[in-house]
Amino acid sequence: YAEAEEQLLDVTSQVNDIFGEAHRSALVAHTYLGEVQAKLGKLEQAEAVLTETDRLYLDSLGRDNAWRLYNAVLLAGVYLQQEKVEQAGALAEEVIGRQRATLGDTHLDTLITAATLAGIRNRQGRYGEAEELSRQVITGFGAIVGDDNAALIEPNHTLLLSMIGQGEISEARPVALKIQELMEQDTGIAADKREQILQDLAQVLGD
């Protein structure tokens, strides 16, 4: 991601010089830059980039533009990583409402936002809502990529956490076993993320 960030910094500078910062190409480049910086853990920089880009999207392309909504859900994710849980929730709620109205419940963008919102609801202790959202995401993703795709690890993990939060340990066992199965097929999970998932699985499956 460090190399990607360096390339995107160069691209955004060039596009700004040629087209201006409010041009669609510049906005998309800045969205990608903010996404990469978030993945690198540069949360303050990512927040600054995505916040300014959101303002420019609103001014030039409107609140319901698909790229603006994608940028906004990235920003919600950054808020969540910074423990700005209420800000994250408010923004994700706005985005998913607009996506449901313009794209429908089963569109991939809507499902991605639903996955983000489910994680936020867990952090807020709203486990029932998190469980409902997670199940919607799992069903939707499964219809798009298949039930055995590694993309289902994260929404199943979110579902698991919501069930643990509600004390549904025995009921969570099939979910934990599904995560275990999916993780055996995927070696691309970051080490720290894998360790966290394994710790959560142990709460349900035992050591």
Side-chain angles (χ1 to χ4, degrees):
Y1 289 118
E3 184 178 347
E5 181 191 24
E6 184 177 345
Q7 292 174 347
L8 282 165
L9 285 168
D10 184 51
V11 167
T12 52
S13 177
Q14 291 183 40
V15 173
N16 283 351
D17 289 343
I18 296 170
F19 298 111
E21 65 178 7
H23 189 274
R24 179 187 178 90
S25 299
L27 294 174
V28 171
H30 279 88
T31 293
Y32 282 134
L33 174 60
E35 182 174 18
V36 167
Q37 288 176 329
K39 291 181 183 297
L40 287 168
K42 298 182 177 181
L43 300 180
E44 290 185 4
Q45 290 170 256
E47 180 183 353
V49 168
L50 295 171
T51 299
E52 176 61 14
T53 306
D54 188 60
R55 183 187 68 80
L56 292 169
Y57 273 123
L58 291 172
D59 289 346
S60 59
L61 297 178
R63 193 169 295 276
D64 290 330
N65 176 266
W67 275 105
R68 183 264 156 176
L69 294 174
Y70 181 69
N71 185 87
V73 78
L74 290 175
L75 180 55
V78 170
Y79 283 152
L80 185 61
Q81 290 183 73
Q82 295 175 301
E83 304 296 333
K84 299 177 181 180
V85 180
E86 297 309 315
Q87 284 178 262
L91 187 54
E93 280 182 13
E94 182 217 332
V95 172
I96 201 168
R98 294 182 182 281
Q99 287 174 328
R100 283 171 171 164
T102 58
L103 302 174
D105 291 344
T106 58
H107 191 280
L108 181 58
D109 287 355
T110 309
L111 293 171
I112 290 171
T113 303
T116 299
L117 184 57
I120 293 168
R121 291 297 184 244
N122 269 341
R123 296 283 284 277
Q124 293 174 317
R126 296 162 66 172
Y127 299 117
E129 293 176 51
E131 179 177 353
E132 182 180 355
L133 285 164
S134 296
R135 291 190 185 281
Q136 291 171 7
V137 172
I138 290 165
T139 299
F141 277 6
I144 295 171
V145 301
D147 293 333
D148 295 323
N149 192 285
L152 290 169
I153 294 174
E154 188 62 33
N156 271 286
H157 183 222
T158 304
L159 173 60
L160 184 77
L161 293 175
S162 71
M163 297 179 79
I164 292 172
Q166 295 175 89
E168 299 173 351
I169 304 301
S170 59
E171 295 90 339
R173 186 174 178 82
V175 179
L177 291 171
K178 182 63 176 181
I179 295 170
Q180 200 171 57
E181 175 189 334
L182 292 170
M183 288 179 69
E184 288 173 357
Q185 303 172 23
D186 181 61
T187 58
I189 305 172
D192 57 343
K193 182 64 176 178
R194 178 179 289 274
E195 181 61 28
Q196 181 58 62
I197 293 174
L198 290 174
Q199 290 176 16
D200 295 329
L201 290 178
Q203 293 188 58
V204 176
L205 301 176
D207 298 329

